[in-house]
Amino acid sequence: MSNPKKEEGLKREVDVAGLTLTIVNGTIGAGIFALPAIISIALGAFGIFSYLFCSIMMAAILLCYAEIGSRITTSGGSYAYVEAAFGTFPGYIINWLYFFGWSALGSAALMNIIADSMATIFPIFTNPLARACLFFVFLSFIVLVNIRGVKQGVHFVKCITIIKLIPLFAIIIFGFNKVDLNNLQWNQLPSLQTFDNTALILFFAFAGFETSLSVSGEIKNPSRTVPLGILFGGLIVFIIYVLIQTVTQGVLGLQMQDFKAAPIAAVAEQLIGPVGGTILLLTAIISTFGNISADVLATPRILFAGANDGLFPKFLSKIHAKFATPYIAVITYASLIFVLSISGGFKQLASLASGSILIVYLSVILATIKLRKNSIENNENSFRSPGGLIIPIIGIVSILWLLTSLSQIEVISIIILILVTCMFYLALKKFQKS
């Protein structure tokens, strides 16, 4: 289903390759450079198989996104899907949970990861003013790229993705020669509690794909591009994760504990010497920058869509006369990231992220089920996940299980954010009536 009013003036320029690489970039971030050690220390060699288990959970969610994304083709991604199925109020809550509770805080944290990483090479970036200048320059560059057009934004993300994947592929290809098969053997299964905690970490390692769908109003032939982009992107991410875990585990084995901060860099040093660690550090910086670039490309479209629906200030729906991009939304969102980055306040609010994205995923799955029953939304060109309700049910059960793993502070934080969002919504409606 497409609403012409919502996407008026936006150009559909994102193809399958662009969406696929954007999903890969948005999912594989800085976390991959420490993830193998976290999984190995908790699960040993069995950790390789844990990716398969978590990928089944994530595949169920991916398929639901592929289905609903092929039907709802207006800007906004998760927000647009929930709003189409359940109406304005649920859509408003999802919009806030996603753009603030997940995206803005996450990107602010990533900006500080970049500064911390660069400080190991250039100590000046331990200075707050230098960090603020770095954040301003990086975000300004991303804003300029994305204002010039979605095609330019996607092209930049493509380049970043390729640059950061080359060293990872090199580690996989050349690292296999140093794999010791004894390091890949496991004699017993981990405890259920240990597996539960690790599954939550792995699940979030696969999160981030949904950000790319916020540009749904600018995707070419969405009924075909969205399913293919999601499926190709998800498959590539899964393969890279499993191969990186296998090589790292196979090379380091029990030494993983000694290199828990940077296991992939340790493998690189064994392959080509000390310069390998430096290359991987630079790759981590580029990878993190790529995640932020993808976020600033996609998330402002959620603000744009909400403004079009009257849920956010109308100025956020303005489109650039020359470049046909929601430039005010892009500038506003990047400014929010900058403020959170320099304030450090995101560290106290970071507990919102995990609960927020799980609720967003759950809402999108429920929206997928509801729209299946609505004949108006169905068309013969849209994608439909196989197995009837089996796929959505697997996704729902997986999310409910993961929600039980959240800490008390995470649960309280997400409840507070939802209550505050409800208050904003009621105030907005009262203001609009006056």
Side-chain angles (χ1 to χ4, degrees), residues 16 57 87 95 118 132 134 153 155 182 202 206 260 273 293 325 354:
V16 174
M57 294 193 300
N95 204 327
M118 293 188 66
L134 178 70
H155 180 70
N182 292 322
L202 263 182
F206 282 95
K260 59 183 178 181
S293 300
T325 53
S354 54

Side-chain angles (χ1 to χ4, degrees), residues 70-148:
S70 70
R71 297 177 180 177
I72 308 300
T73 62
T74 50
S75 295
S78 300
Y79 156 71
Y81 307 153
V82 174
E83 193 269 342
F86 299 115
T88 302
F89 181 50
Y92 185 80
I93 293 176
I94 292 302
N95 204 327
W96 272 91
L97 285 176
Y98 190 81
F99 103 83
F100 181 77
W102 174 251
S103 294
L105 290 172
S107 286
L110 292 177
M111 288 301 300
N112 279 271
I113 288 175
I114 289 177
D116 291 341
S117 299
M118 293 188 66
T120 62
I121 305 174
F122 307 106
I124 190 175
F125 290 116
T126 58
N127 180 281
L129 180 59
R131 293 169 75 93
C133 292
L134 178 70
F135 298 157
F136 181 80
V137 171
F138 277 7
L139 287 170
S140 296
F141 175 77
I142 296 172
V143 165
L144 289 175
V145 169
N146 283 289
I147 286 178
R148 289 185 61 82

Side-chain angles (χ1 to χ4, degrees), residues 119-272:
T120 62
I121 305 174
F122 307 106
I124 190 175
F125 290 116
T126 58
N127 180 281
L129 180 59
R131 293 169 75 93
C133 292
L134 178 70
F135 298 157
F136 181 80
V137 171
F138 277 7
L139 287 170
S140 296
F141 175 77
I142 296 172
V143 165
L144 289 175
V145 169
N146 283 289
I147 286 178
R148 289 185 61 82
V150 69
K151 177 185 275 188
Q152 285 75 12
V154 171
H155 180 70
F156 179 70
V157 170
K158 282 182 181 180
C159 293
I160 288 287
T161 305
I162 293 171
I163 291 172
K164 77 178 182 181
L165 288 182
I166 289 175
L168 294 178
F169 283 134
I171 292 289
I172 292 170
I173 294 171
F174 298 107
F176 264 109
N177 292 327
K178 289 187 173 291
V179 167
D180 183 348
L181 295 180
N182 292 322
N183 291 334
L184 301 179
Q185 296 179 5
W186 49 277
N187 299 317
Q188 60 183 14
L189 295 174
S191 67
L192 183 59
Q193 182 178 1
T194 301
F195 187 76
D196 282 352
N197 295 334
T198 309
L200 185 63
I201 295 172
L202 263 182
F203 180 85
F204 288 115
F206 282 95
F209 71 90
E210 72 292 327
T211 299
S212 305
L213 297 177
S214 298
V215 299
S216 44
E218 294 153 283
I219 294 177
K220 295 179 181 177
N221 189 12
S223 61
R224 174 181 179 273
T225 300
V226 171
L228 289 178
I230 289 177
L231 295 177
F232 289 155
L235 183 60
I236 291 171
V237 169
F238 171 71
I239 292 173
I240 291 174
Y241 275 156
V242 171
L243 292 178
I244 283 290
Q245 184 70 40
T246 301
V247 170
T248 309
Q249 175 69 39
V251 173
L252 298 180
L254 297 177
Q255 292 181 300
M256 194 77 77
Q257 181 72 45
D258 300 328
F259 303 104
K260 59 183 178 181
I264 300 180
V267 174
E269 287 189 17
Q270 290 198 24
L271 292 176
I272 59 175

Side-chain angles (χ1 to χ4, degrees), residues 39-80:
I39 302 303
S40 178
I41 291 171
L43 303 177
F46 182 78
I48 298 171
F49 298 94
S50 65
Y51 284 87
L52 179 61
F53 177 80
C54 288
S55 69
I56 292 174
M57 294 193 300
M58 187 54 74
I61 299 172
L62 284 167
L63 286 170
C64 288
Y65 266 89
E67 177 173 332
I68 198 169
S70 70
R71 297 177 180 177
I72 308 300
T73 62
T74 50
S75 295
S78 300
Y79 156 71

Side-chain angles (χ1 to χ4, degrees), residues 395-415:
I396 291 172
V397 171
S398 299
I399 292 171
L400 292 177
W401 172 51
L402 291 170
L403 283 170
T404 63
S405 301
L406 298 180
S407 66
Q408 185 177 14
I409 186 63
E410 288 172 328
V411 174
I412 292 174
S413 296
I414 196 65
I415 291 174

Side-chain angles (χ1 to χ4, degrees), residues 1-2 71-72 84-85 370-372 374-379 382:
M1 186 183 91
S2 175
R71 297 177 180 177
I72 308 300
K370 186 175 188 299
L371 291 183
R372 275 187 180 182
N374 189 338
S375 59
I376 296 177
E377 307 298 340
N378 288 319
N379 65 74
S382 63

Side-chain angles (χ1 to χ4, degrees), residues 284-352:
I285 293 173
I286 293 172
S287 177
T288 308
F289 184 66
N291 283 135
I292 299 170
S293 300
D295 184 35
V296 177
L297 165 69
T299 302
R301 272 67 181 179
I302 296 178
L303 299 180
F304 168 77
N308 262 347
D309 289 339
L311 302 180
F312 289 126
K314 193 65 179 176
F315 70 87
L316 292 172
S317 66
K318 288 186 177 180
I319 296 176
H320 197 284
K322 180 179 180 181
F323 302 119
T325 53
Y327 69 108
I328 299 295
V330 172
I331 295 172
T332 301
Y333 182 64
S335 300
L336 176 61
I337 293 175
F338 177 75
V339 171
L340 290 171
S341 298
I342 61 175
S343 69
F346 69 90
K347 294 179 181 178
Q348 287 71 40
L349 297 172
S351 55
L352 289 171

